[in-house]
Amino acid sequence: MNYPRVVIAAPKSGSGKTTITCGILRALINSGLSLCSFKCGPDYIDPMFHRTVLGIPSGNLDTFFTDDNITKSLFSKTYSGDMAVIEGVMGLYDGIGGVETQGSTYDLARALLAPVVLVVDAKGAGRSVIAQLKGFLDYDEHHLIKAVILNRTSVAFGNTLGDIIEKELGLKYLGTMPDMKNQELSSRHLGLVMPEEVPEINEKIDELAGTIQTNLDLDELKNIATSASELDIINDKKGIRNVNSNLTLAVARDQAFCFYYRENLEIFKELGVKLVEFSPINDSKLPENINGILLGGGYPENYLKELSGNESMKASIKTAYDNGMPILAECGGFMYLSESVKNQNDETYAMVGAIDSKVEWRGKLVRFGYITVDTGKLQIKGHEFHYYDSDNNGECCVATKPFGGKSWKCIHSKNGSYIGFPHLYYPSNPEFINNFVEVMKNYGGH
């Protein structure tokens, strides 16, 4: 299978690639294509937006988390439809620490042999855009950059620059997007989409897609995706053991808990684990006949009153934990299992109380970026990004940053549970989930 695919990237953050990517996805759907999408890097929000608002299967791929073979295998296993659109992160060459190539959009494009389309913010620039592109081409040792989209400049001037780009650089010029402040998607749109907001946002994206259909050469974009080289896929299932477990994992899913890597959930399914969803906000207790709990990240800080007020659910989870049920809880899930959370208004809300921990708003990013977590038995990769912190982050594991080597203790582990701030990417070491599933079996599997 050829896997038609294209990477939408940019020279730097803030160039408009997320807005243009969303518009391109809707425009291609309107043209009759069936699509899938991927986000480069650890961000949960863009794939969630693609799934919930655009209705497109979407996941995360990251060359810090996984090596080339696993990255290609994950891509091929979850590829669907006629074409994949891969949204980049930061600037094209910006990887670990901002100075390494690993973890960058370009490194993912290299691993997937995926052609790259650069979105360049041309506002206030002229021929300097040509020099900027020439510099990016000089860095492109695998010759992956195939085309350019100019953003935030007049269409007429963009077309003039486009002719020079094609003549002097040999890149395809796909068109110019005019400055469109009323159509740009803000972080609120992407990160805090409530069901009642979807019609408003869909209207905005439809308008954006119309502008894209008028201004960009989508046929040429499809040609570029189709021209991608054939991928050599090795479906390496190292570490995956299909245990046919007849086990059930309760997954928290509601307004407060919504950050899950699709790839993480797929590993549980490959191991024969049934996933059932529940809402810590709206349900009165845990689902029946479960063998473990997964509490992901999300926005619990926005629903502290509702979470605190659901006493029966808190009691249900606390009882399960005290009885030895294994729990994976990351970031927001850890906050919820703590004794209390104090928000930015100095209001304190009682939480589950399973963990001896008090969490409060710190007013700035506490810890963020890639990490490798050492459990003492294995290493697994992940990242942190949070404005809250705890007076007891746990001491069962050690997190280490890949750039600079800074490390710290983290995570509470009891009866096979792992509860702490780090978000983990399970495909980086499937043995971590194999071990957790074994604990689920010992707790009460069949």
Side-chain angles (χ1 to χ4, degrees):
M1 186 173 176
N2 192 37
Y3 304 107
R5 58 201 181 275
V6 66
V7 173
I8 308 296
K12 63 177 182 177
S13 294
S15 300
K17 68 176 175 292
T18 295
T19 295
I20 287 178
T21 298
C22 288
I24 284 174
L25 287 169
R26 177 61 61 84
L28 289 173
I29 291 171
N30 291 345
S31 75
L33 282 188
S34 173
L35 300 176
C36 63
S37 69
F38 297 87
K39 174 67 178 180
C40 174
D43 174 57
Y44 290 99
I45 292 174
D46 289 336
M48 184 171 67
F49 187 89
H50 294 168
R51 289 190 296 263
T52 58
V53 176
L54 297 171
I56 296 170
S58 187
N60 293 78
L61 296 172
D62 190 308
T63 57
F64 169 71
F65 287 160
T66 54
D67 64 24
D68 285 3
N69 283 337
I70 295 175
T71 301
K72 289 188 288 185
S73 176
L74 290 169
F75 172 77
S76 67
K77 282 195 296 186
T78 51
Y79 182 97
S80 62
D82 305 311
M83 175 178 163
V85 176
I86 303 158
E87 182 185 344
V89 62
M90 299 191 295
L92 178 63
Y93 298 108
D94 301 334
I96 297 170
V99 295
E100 300 289 334
T101 303
Q102 187 186 17
S104 69
T105 301
Y106 189 79
D107 201 35
L108 179 61
R110 175 203 57 77
L112 296 179
L113 300 176
V116 174
V117 173
L118 271 181
V119 174
V120 177
D121 185 351
K123 187 172 184 176
R127 182 173 269 277
S128 295
V129 170
I130 312 299
Q132 181 183 25
L133 287 170
K134 193 172 190 306
F136 271 74
L137 289 172
D138 285 346
Y139 259 67
D140 181 12
E141 59 181 295
H142 299 284
H143 307 293
L144 298 174
I145 302 173
K146 302 298 182 185
V148 63
I149 295 169
L150 299 180
N151 194 24
R152 298 175 182 142
T153 191
S154 75
V155 173
F157 186 60
N159 289 340
T160 299
L161 284 178
D163 289 340
I164 302 173
I165 288 168
E166 292 198 337
K167 181 179 179 181
E168 295 190 9
L169 302 180
L171 291 176
K172 290 288 184 181
Y173 164 67
L174 298 185
T176 293
M177 292 295 287
D179 207 339
M180 45 178 189
K181 291 179 182 176
N182 63 319
Q183 293 179 12
E184 289 200 4
L185 301 173
S186 68
S187 58
R188 182 189 71 84
H189 289 126
L190 294 170
L192 291 171
V193 177
M194 297 298 104
E196 61 270 18
E197 290 187 281
V198 171
E200 168 204 337
I201 294 169
N202 269 321
E203 185 177 322
K204 183 182 285 283
I205 293 175
D206 280 335
E207 185 181 350
L208 173 62
T211 304
I212 281 174
Q213 286 168 316
T214 300
N215 290 281
L216 300 188
D217 188 345
L218 293 180
D219 286 335
E220 185 58 42
L221 180 68
K222 289 184 247 183
N223 289 339
I224 290 169
T226 304
S227 73
S229 301
E230 188 168 339
L231 270 184
D232 180 21
I233 305 294
I234 300 173
N235 285 311
D236 182 7
K237 290 203 171 189
K238 181 181 179 182
I240 293 287
R241 299 192 297 269
N242 190 337
V243 297
N244 294 315
S245 58
N246 198 26
L247 298 173
T248 300
L249 180 71
V251 180
R253 174 93 67 176
D254 58 18
Q255 305 97 303
F257 302 100
C258 50
F259 287 176
Y260 295 102
Y261 292 125
R262 176 180 63 175
E263 296 76 18
N264 283 2
L265 300 180
E266 288 298 320
I267 282 189
F268 278 111
K269 293 177 184 177
E270 288 183 43
L271 288 166
V273 176
K274 179 183 177 183
L275 306 182
V276 296
E277 295 183 354
F278 73 101
S279 168
I281 292 178
N282 303 308
D283 294 338
S284 61
K285 61 179 182 178
L286 288 166
E288 299 288 342
N289 301 316
I290 61 172
N291 311 94
I293 303 170
L294 177 59
L295 285 159
Y299 304 106
E301 64 271 26
N302 294 338
Y303 300 94
L304 293 175
K305 182 178 180 180
E306 293 85 348
L307 290 168
S308 181
N310 192 345
E311 297 287 355
S312 61
M313 175 58 79
K314 291 194 300 181
S316 178
I317 293 175
K318 175 73 159 55
T319 299
Y321 179 76
D322 289 344
N323 289 341
M325 182 179 289
I327 299 177
L328 290 176
E330 302 180 348
C331 202
F334 167 46
M335 292 168 61
Y336 178 55
L337 291 180
S338 296
E339 292 179 12
S340 64
V341 176
K342 181 190 287 187
N343 66 15
Q344 59 198 92
N345 299 319
D346 283 335
E347 299 165 335
T348 300
Y349 293 88
M351 294 288 113
V352 172
I355 304 298
D356 180 17
S357 157
K358 293 181 175 63
V359 177
E360 65 179 70
W361 167 261
R362 291 297 170 87
K364 63 179 181 179
L365 270 175
V366 179
R367 288 179 297 280
F368 66 97
Y370 289 122
I371 53 174
T372 298
V373 175
D374 190 330
T375 70
K377 296 180 180 178
L378 55 80
Q379 293 187 337
I380 184 168
K381 293 181 177 180
H383 81 286
E384 289 196 31
F385 187 100
H386 49 95
Y387 291 84
Y388 284 74
D389 204 5
S390 168
D391 62 357
N392 180 9
N393 284 301
E395 297 189 344
C396 295
C397 301
V398 175
T400 303
K401 294 186 74 67
F403 190 78
K406 181 181 178 181
S407 64
W408 59 92
K409 292 182 178 180
C410 62
I411 298 180
H412 299 265
S413 182
K414 176 184 175 183
N415 298 325
S417 293
Y418 284 86
I419 299 165
F421 273 115
H423 294 282
L424 303 177
Y425 191 76
Y426 305 155
S428 68
N429 193 339
E431 192 64 22
F432 178 82
I433 294 303
N434 279 326
N435 294 342
F436 185 79
V437 170
E438 287 298 319
V439 175
M440 289 174 64
K441 286 174 66 178
N442 294 334
Y443 171 76
H446 300 287

